Amino acid sequence: MKNTARLLACLAVLLCVSAADAQEPQPSPRVTALLQAMTLEEKAGQLNLLSGHNAVTGPYATPDVESAIKQGTVGGLFNVYGAAYTRNLQELTLAHSRLKIPLLLGFDVLHGYRTIFPTPLAQAASFNPELIEQAERAAAREAAAAGVNWVYAPMLDVARDPRWGRMVEGAGESPWYAALIAQARVKGLQGETLSDPAHVLACAKHFAGNGAVEGGRDYSATDLSLRALRDQELPPFKAAAQSGIGCFMAAFNAPDGTPGITNRFLLDDVLRKEWGFHGLVVSDFGAMLELPVHGVAQDLSDSASKALLAGTDMDMQARAFVAHLPQLVTTGRVSSDALDRAVTRVLMMKEKLGLFDDPFARSDVEREATVIEHPDHLALSRQLAEESTVLLKNKDGILPLDPHAPQRIALIGPLSDAKADTMGPWPAHGDPAHVVTLRAAMQKSLKNFAFASGGHIEQASDQEMAKAVATARRSDVVILALGERATMSGEAASRAQPDLPGRQRELLLKITALGKPVIVVLLAGRPIIDPVLYDKAMAVLLAWQPGSQGGDALKRILWGEAEPLGHLPVTIPRQVGQIPITHDRRPTGRPATPDNKPYTTGYSDLSLTPQYPFGFGLSYAPFSLDTPTVSLQGDANKPDALVIETPVHNQGKRRSTTLVQVYTRQDVAAVSQPEKQLRGFARITLERGASGVAKINIPLESLIYHDGAGTAHAPAGTLTIMAGLNAQETQQVKITLPPAR
Ligand code: BGC
């Protein structure tokens, strides 16, 4: 009995002690003094993050949020923006709260604040991290001038299932590439120092495994082995931590039965101890309310204690911390050290952002007026849209269209003039009225073209369809803008059948039946799985959701003033039944054979190959590659990198650009390795008929992989190196690494 009591006492101590990191940076005298002056309620208040948004037309704080500001029981607000308005909020804090602690002011700025860039998935198709970094700088500049000091971006979930609508927010299926993009985004958003009022605190979300939701259903369960977690989900998050990101947002879901906000392994062992992260961890929206629903907490008080002790510092919107932490500390269920640690992290972040020195530095009405939709930002948005657009099909080289040809053009389809749908699902403060649609862009420079919408994205009347077909009949070439409504992707937007919604396929069939050349411009937040579309259209330009300047970009691409430079950051399946299908499929002992031999992997009713492989993207000139050569760089006995050189030939009649990609595989490893994984790429531009060499360096360190216990292994033995213009058609060469010393 005595022993049991002792055991229970020990357990109680263990449970009320938070996940701690002995090496947390020391707080400044200012933060220490504040902490000493704070009541328990004020401390819990600093961990309380509330939405200030309650109107469709603009931001404002509800009366109870205002009174929380005055009482010092809220540490940050989100969904608030606008220089004048955010200035008022900070003034309210300074004038009325006892300790005058400025507010963190957060907003979801996923692909631009007011200048809307192509969606993150689209941006990833550019394979241009430098340009993505510049776009993030512009987004930060605009958001910061409007008083936002914290953005809930980048979204770093690796997405391998097109049914999952949130695929649109990330960089696609390759963990290695997602890590590269993560670095660019963190640099762009945070700048050199967080105190720079042209930059903002970035927040890596959703940590971790959110993209692996079962069935592609948003918010659903995940179940990940340590190996899958380490090699597939964590690389972009680790890259963000190493790039100095100041915040992580814990995921709603649970990669191992323990939801993100209570996941000590992820928040403490991996994030803080292993990666040395010293920033802030925030919950996702109302996540504490969900712990009892998950079945891992009794009630909200239990949620608050479990989340804080696991390492969650701020509570978004559940009001669990503010309501329960004071009592949890008073009754000893949560140690005061645990509370102080989280409060210190919040105060230190405010200090790093320069908020104590000048809470108004970012809320600058004049700067806001100059930087918002600055012409440079608009130009950047258009450039990124051009570089993100993927040419999937171009039969008989129908594109680009000849500007001098006397052709009657028809622009048809529900996405030709859809402003909000051209922006995408996270338009922040973007204004649909400022969006250049494809129709608007064509109106600016083409004298004559016929237009018919063909109805709406999800419904069309017989008359609308008939009018569209009649318009097509009177033309020589049809541009057909089809796809998804913006809100069909993004959060809570999973689709079991991500095909062309409504009557769009019927419209396509009716128009292609006329026998005219039909160019489909596809606007969507994910790969559209619709074989008829790819079969019937003469050309397909995947524009994703190209942002506020998308129409101009598309018009320029269609008429050859710009080239579509995008390559797929995700595989496009032929049918939903193929999911999961990615370029980095794990191998099997019974690989598929071309003749579909029995007792080998595959389907009896469908090919194993995708509709379009990862990395695919045509140029306006055809390119070919020769077999690559590979050499080792560094000390002969202990090399540090592979150098892959691939001869490239422009076989066409115009100057053009393509993307050479390198994939690798370790032939014999501690645990079997994916068939190929993207590890490097290089964009190359060649004059007509010219040849060049794409040189790609792959640090050996980037080839580290993990086994089932989560143990890291350095690359060893023989590696297969594959170079190609997409993941499916590659040429290979092998190299053997010297034995480790
Ligand atoms: C989303 C987050 C977002 C938050 C605040 C949540 O529902 O999952 O990505 O940052 O809302 O808007």
Side-chain angles (χ1 to χ4, degrees):
M1 190 61 204
K2 231 183 185 175
N3 278 348
T4 318
R6 201 174 298 143
L7 198 73
L8 284 176
C10 290
L11 207 64
V13 170
L14 259 181
L15 288 177
C16 84
V17 169
S18 75
D21 183 347
Q23 277 126 43
E24 295 250 349
Q26 285 305 304
S28 66
R30 169 162 50 195
V31 168
T32 310
L34 266 176
L35 201 66
Q36 277 164 5
M38 289 168 97
T39 63
L40 273 182
E41 285 69 26
E42 284 166 336
K43 287 181 180 174
Q46 280 306 302
L47 312 186
N48 187 26
L49 173 63
L50 295 177
S51 176
H53 176 92
N54 202 20
V56 186
T57 48
Y60 75 87
T62 52
D64 76 319
V65 168
E66 262 192 50
S67 79
I69 295 176
K70 291 180 182 165
Q71 286 162 24
T73 53
V74 62
L77 298 177
F78 66 111
N79 288 332
V80 288
Y81 48 85
Y85 175 65
T86 51
R87 177 171 274 270
N88 284 347
L89 292 172
Q90 300 288 22
E91 268 165 4
L92 211 60
T93 317
L94 297 192
H96 298 279
S97 71
R98 192 176 75 90
L99 295 172
K100 309 187 187 315
I101 302 173
L103 295 160
L104 286 171
L105 299 174
F107 197 30
D108 287 282
V109 178
L110 272 294
H111 50 114
Y113 171 75
R114 180 77 167 187
T115 301
I116 302 304
F117 294 95
T119 58
L121 183 64
Q123 293 182 26
S126 73
F127 282 83
N128 190 344
E130 290 81 25
L131 197 62
I132 293 174
E133 184 186 325
Q134 281 181 43
E136 291 292 35
R137 273 182 201 280
R141 209 174 294 133
E142 292 192 7
V148 173
N149 50 41
W150 185 17
V151 296
Y152 304 135
M155 200 294 264
L156 300 180
D157 299 321
V158 174
R160 307 163 74 82
D161 188 334
R163 292 172 297 182
W164 189 52
R166 301 201 80 167
M167 171 181 265
V168 71
E169 298 173 41
E173 74 188 33
S174 158
W176 173 84
Y177 181 50
L180 196 74
I181 299 298
Q183 290 164 8
R185 291 198 185 281
V186 175
K187 259 168 88 185
L189 289 169
Q190 292 197 165
E192 304 312 316
T193 149
L194 277 177
S195 59
D196 181 345
H199 286 279
V200 290
L201 166 65
C203 193
K205 68 187 190 184
H206 308 84
F207 191 57
N210 202 39
V213 280
E214 284 173 358
R217 295 182 300 275
D218 210 7
Y219 314 119
S220 87
T222 52
D223 199 353
L224 288 163
S225 69
L226 271 182
R227 163 170 102 142
L229 188 72
R230 294 255 179 205
D231 286 351
Q232 188 179 297
E233 306 296 323
L234 296 189
F237 289 99
K238 186 175 179 184
Q242 288 172 339
S243 304
I245 200 164
C247 164
F248 266 65
M249 185 187 289
F252 285 125
N253 54 346
D256 55 0
T258 306
I261 50 169
T262 54
N263 200 311
R264 271 188 194 229
F265 168 69
L266 282 171
L267 298 185
D268 198 47
D269 296 346
V270 175
L271 180 60
R272 295 204 184 269
K273 299 214 175 83
E274 201 180 306
W275 298 348
F277 173 79
H278 293 307
L280 205 60
V281 172
V282 63
S283 83
D284 202 342
F285 194 108
M288 291 194 203
L289 296 163
E290 298 178 13
L291 292 187
V293 190
H294 274 288
V296 294
Q298 291 292 344
D299 50 28
L300 201 56
S301 162
D302 198 20
S303 295
S305 116
K306 287 191 162 126
L308 186 87
L309 297 178
T312 302
D313 304 313
M314 281 193 102
D315 163 12
M316 186 193 285
Q317 200 62 13
R319 300 179 193 238
F321 278 177
V322 73
H324 296 287
L325 282 180
Q327 211 202 354
L328 285 166
V329 172
T330 315
T331 55
R333 280 186 60 201
V334 164
S335 71
S336 54
D337 280 358
L339 175 62
D340 285 359
R341 188 171 302 118
V343 179
T344 306
R345 287 177 188 149
V346 173
L347 296 177
M348 285 173 72
M349 189 51 72
K350 291 183 172 181
E351 189 168 55
K352 271 193 178 174
L353 282 164
L355 295 179
F356 288 115
D357 298 325
D358 182 359
F360 307 114
R362 287 185 180 77
S363 306
D364 186 326
V365 178
E366 269 172 38
R367 193 150 47 89
E368 183 182 43
T370 20
V371 302
I372 296 288
E373 294 182 327
H374 189 282
D376 291 351
H377 299 180
L378 299 179
L380 198 57
S381 176
R382 191 192 78 186
Q383 186 186 348
L384 202 39
E386 288 169 7
E387 298 205 10
S388 303
T389 300
V390 186
L391 180 60
L392 291 176
K393 184 174 177 186
N394 195 15
K395 197 163 169 235
D396 301 337
I398 182 165
L399 286 178
L401 297 170
D402 179 354
H404 308 296
Q407 312 179 100
R408 291 170 301 167
I409 307 277
L411 175 65
I412 292 173
L415 270 300
S416 333
D417 202 20
K419 289 172 185 280
D421 303 303
T422 301
M423 280 201 289
W426 281 101
H429 188 35
D431 184 350
H434 295 197
V435 173
V436 185
T437 62
L438 179 54
R439 184 185 183 195
M442 284 170 61
Q443 273 163 344
K444 278 195 266 179
S445 53
L446 290 183
K447 285 199 196 73
N448 242 324
F449 67 93
F451 171 74
S453 75
H456 295 283
I457 295 165
E458 284 149 292
Q459 57 192 23
S461 66
D462 289 344
Q463 289 91 317
E464 285 167 322
M465 299 275 284
K467 188 174 169 216
V469 176
T471 308
R473 190 174 284 120
R474 289 192 298 270
S475 69
D476 302 312
V477 176
V478 180
I479 299 170
L480 193 51
L482 304 176
E484 288 184 314
R485 170 166 47 75
T487 45
M488 284 181 152
S489 58
E491 187 174 354
S494 297
R495 294 184 64 202
Q497 292 290 350
D499 55 6
L500 284 177
R503 297 179 73 181
Q504 294 184 76
R505 193 183 312 122
E506 191 187 332
L507 181 66
L508 169 80
L509 286 171
K510 284 194 155 95
I511 291 181
T512 50
L514 300 174
K516 319 249 170 179
V518 175
I519 297 155
V520 169
V521 176
L522 192 57
L523 275 82
R526 53 155 67 80
I528 293 295
I529 306 175
D530 209 322
V532 173
L533 155 69
Y534 303 110
D535 179 39
K536 295 286 179 192
M538 194 156 176
V540 181
L541 264 181
L542 174 54
W544 313 98
Q545 286 129 343
S548 50
Q549 308 306 299
D552 276 336
L554 289 168
K555 178 337 166 125
R556 280 165 51 82
I557 288 173
L558 286 165
W559 274 271
E561 292 157 63
E563 220 187 350
L565 294 181
H567 284 252
L568 292 175
V570 283
T571 305
I572 304 188
R574 290 176 194 276
Q575 285 188 22
V576 168
Q578 287 185 321
I579 297 170
I581 178 169
T582 56
H583 76 284
D584 51 358
R585 170 170 70 190
R586 306 253 177 228
T588 156
R590 297 193 178 189
T593 55
D595 54 350
N596 213 6
K597 222 166 90 191
Y599 302 103
T600 58
T601 193
Y603 302 103
S604 60
D605 55 355
L606 186 63
S607 139
L608 262 186
T609 60
Q611 185 84 53
Y612 289 103
F614 177 89
F616 186 86
L618 298 171
S619 308
Y620 277 160
F623 282 88
S624 67
L625 302 186
D626 293 342
T627 311
T629 59
V630 57
S631 55
L632 295 170
Q633 185 180 276
D635 182 334
N637 294 318
K638 208 169 174 286
D640 49 38
L642 304 170
V643 182
I644 295 105
E645 296 186 64
T646 312
V648 191
H649 312 286
N650 177 344
Q651 312 273 21
K653 296 193 175 65
R654 56 179 283 163
R655 176 189 158 91
S656 186
T657 300
T658 192
L659 187 81
V660 178
Q661 302 143 44
V662 171
Y663 301 83
T664 67
R665 174 171 197 247
Q666 180 168 329
D667 289 2
V668 179
V671 288
S672 76
Q673 291 301 291
E675 289 173 2
K676 52 181 71 160
Q677 287 172 292
L678 180 73
R679 297 298 190 183
F681 57 85
R683 197 189 261 184
I684 181 162
T685 301
L686 293 172
E687 298 300 330
R688 53 183 287 181
S691 297
V693 173
K695 192 169 166 188
I696 293 166
N697 273 40
I698 301 182
L700 287 177
E701 204 192 352
S702 68
L703 305 184
I704 290 173
Y705 64 92
H706 295 86
D707 63 22
T711 307
H713 294 261
T718 301
L719 305 176
T720 303
I721 314 293
M722 293 152 272
L725 298 175
N726 61 66
Q728 198 165 278
E729 293 149 326
T730 54
Q731 310 204 35
Q732 70 178 53
V733 59
K734 290 192 186 268
I735 191 161
T736 302
L737 299 175
R741 298 184 140 209

